[in-house]
């Protein structure tokens, strides 16, 4: 989203409230071609915005000026990219239909879960070169309780009904929740990508996701660690009053290098653990002197 706002301002950085909701937003994901935006909520709901007619150079409708009434601060008269104090806001209740008086955008409610949505990420193989009519917008979803993780096709309201890898995730993560996940990078619309999932208990799984028309047959678990990457278990957003511990738990993400050769993992006995593509079962440690001058992350 900061990149979207930056593009509208001609490359300048910007921070602004673009939409307000009745429930706390816990995760946001934007597809590579900008034609899908997914919002996850603390109540377990997901809202998906759809922009199939988006053109590469046009102003993005998610940030488009509107006369919608504000419910969460600001004047409600539109988002001003020239630096005024009026924020573009749209009232949103429980992941339902967006209240807009003009330039309506298409949105639909995604799958619902019993616990907070912790992380959302679109498959990186979406691009402007693809035909939106035939494009699958695979969205990986992490939630705090079993099954913890699944992938849906966010192309349409009809396509979201099928959940990929849900049963496999229950087995691989011992019926636990997932705190975060990350796709390996991909520079084309085809090819193999990996998806790393980090459990609430601190265990890592890596999934093999080749380009295929039958993901239910070809997507599979590639590696399931028997030990914890992070020793401290994540207590979750519903574990009581939010504290520094919960903020630190929420900041623990797996992270891939830009070339997709290395997977960085937080926590453990040292600040950073590294896994190399082709040798994911082996763990290499980066000591605290190399990162953060002895300070943990």
């Amino acid at each position: 989203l900061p990149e979207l706002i930056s593009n509208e301002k001609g490359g300048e950085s910007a921070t602004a409230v673009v939409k307000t909701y009745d429930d706390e937003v816990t995760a946001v994901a934007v597809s590579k071609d900008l034609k899908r935006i997914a919002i996850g909520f603390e109540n377990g709901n997901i809202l998906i915005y759809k922009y199939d007619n988006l053109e590469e150079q046009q102003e993005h409708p998610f940030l488009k000026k509107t006369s919608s009434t504000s419910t969460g601060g600001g004047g409600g008269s539109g988002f001003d990219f020239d630096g005024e104090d009026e924020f573009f806001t749209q009232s949103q209740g429980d992941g339902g239909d967006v209240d807009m008086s003009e330039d309506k955008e298409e949105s639909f409610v995604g799958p619902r879960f019993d616990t907070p949505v912790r992380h959302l990420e679109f498959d990186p193989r979406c691009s402007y070169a693809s035909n939106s009519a035939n494009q699958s917008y695979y969205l990986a979803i992490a939630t705090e309780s079993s099954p913890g993780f699944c992938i849906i096709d966010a192309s349409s309201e009809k396509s979201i009904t099928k959940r990929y890898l849900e049963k496999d995730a229950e087995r691989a993560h011992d019926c636990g929740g997932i705190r975060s996940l990350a796709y390996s990078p991909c520079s084309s619309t085809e090819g193999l990508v990996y998806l790393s999932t980090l459990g609430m208990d601190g265990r890592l799984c890596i999934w093999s996701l080749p380009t295929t028309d039958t993901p239910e047959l070809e997507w599979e678990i590639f590696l399931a660690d028997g030990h914890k990457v992070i020793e401290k278990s994540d207590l979750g957003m519903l574990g009581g009053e939010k504290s520094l511990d919960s903020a630190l738990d929420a900041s623990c993400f797996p992270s891939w290098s830009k070339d997709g050769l290395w997977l960085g993992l937080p926590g453990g006995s040292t600040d950073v653990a590294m896994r190399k593509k082709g040798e994911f079962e082996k763990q290499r440690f980066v000591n605290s002197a190399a990162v953060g001058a002895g300070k943990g992350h």
Side-chain angles (χ1 to χ4, degrees):
L1 292 182
E3 182 181 351
L4 287 180
I5 297 173
S6 177
N7 288 342
E8 299 297 341
K9 292 195 66 176
E12 297 179 23
S13 61
T15 301
V17 176
V18 293
K19 281 176 171 53
T20 58
Y21 301 90
D22 291 341
D23 291 293
E24 183 176 340
V25 173
T26 54
V28 179
V30 183
S31 65
K32 188 175 179 181
D33 65 359
L34 308 181
K35 293 184 179 181
R36 293 294 184 279
I37 296 177
I39 312 291
F41 297 90
E42 188 176 38
N43 65 4
N45 290 343
I46 295 173
L47 179 66
I48 299 169
Y49 293 89
K50 179 179 178 180
Y51 306 102
D52 280 346
N53 297 321
L54 180 70
E55 305 220 353
E56 190 166 0
Q57 299 302 321
Q58 80 174 86
E59 178 185 6
H60 199 285
F62 193 82
L63 304 176
K64 192 173 179 63
K65 189 171 181 178
T66 178
S67 58
S68 173
T69 301
S70 169
T71 61
S77 59
F79 176 73
D80 183 20
F81 289 105
D82 293 327
E84 297 293 332
D85 290 331
E86 295 174 332
F87 287 156
F88 160 46
T89 59
Q90 298 170 352
S91 174
Q92 175 65 51
D94 297 327
D97 294 331
V98 179
D99 178 17
M100 299 181 67
S101 58
E102 60 181 49
D103 294 325
K104 289 185 178 180
E105 56 191 345
E106 186 176 350
S107 65
F108 53 91
V109 176
R112 300 174 185 269
F113 299 91
D114 295 330
T115 53
V117 176
R118 284 292 293 266
H119 200 171
L120 298 170
E121 188 167 328
F122 279 100
D123 191 308
R125 289 169 288 196
C126 298
S127 73
Y128 271 115
S130 61
N131 183 347
S132 291
N134 301 316
Q135 174 68 42
S136 293
Y137 287 89
Y138 290 118
L139 175 68
I141 303 168
T143 65
E144 287 192 350
S145 65
S146 181
F149 152 68
C150 69
I151 297 176
I152 64 166
D153 182 357
S155 298
S156 66
E157 193 168 5
K158 182 179 179 180
S159 68
I160 65 171
T161 57
K162 192 162 190 176
R163 301 184 186 184
Y164 300 101
L165 295 176
E166 186 173 57
K167 296 298 183 182
D168 301 81
E170 284 186 313
R171 290 190 292 269
H173 281 285
D174 298 328
C175 296
I178 306 297
R179 68 175 85 192
S180 56
L181 47 81
Y183 278 100
S184 64
C186 185
S187 58
S188 68
T189 57
E190 295 186 356
L192 172 68
V193 297
Y194 293 101
L195 181 69
S196 54
T197 54
L198 192 56
M200 301 287 284
D201 62 358
R203 289 178 55 247
L204 171 75
C205 287
I206 299 177
W207 306 83
S208 173
L209 310 177
T211 300
T212 176
D213 293 328
T214 56
E216 64 275 12
L217 298 178
E218 298 189 51
W219 288 357
E220 61 184 358
I221 183 71
F222 184 79
L223 173 73
D225 271 356
H227 64 280
K228 293 183 178 183
V229 173
I230 301 175
E231 291 298 326
K232 180 184 176 299
S233 295
D234 190 318
L235 300 178
M237 296 179 181
L238 297 182
E241 183 180 350
K242 291 183 174 61
S243 64
L244 177 59
D245 276 348
S246 62
L248 292 174
D249 287 339
S251 69
C252 291
F253 290 84
S255 180
W256 292 86
S257 62
K258 290 183 178 180
D259 57 12
L261 295 179
W262 291 92
L263 172 63
L265 301 164
S269 57
T270 59
D271 283 344
V272 180
M274 304 295 293
R275 303 287 183 92
K276 186 178 181 181
K277 184 177 179 180
E279 300 178 2
F280 284 134
E281 71 282 358
K282 298 179 181 179
Q283 188 153 269
R284 297 164 172 81
F285 295 103
V286 179
N287 62 34
S288 59
V291 285
K295 298 178 181 179
H297 300 310

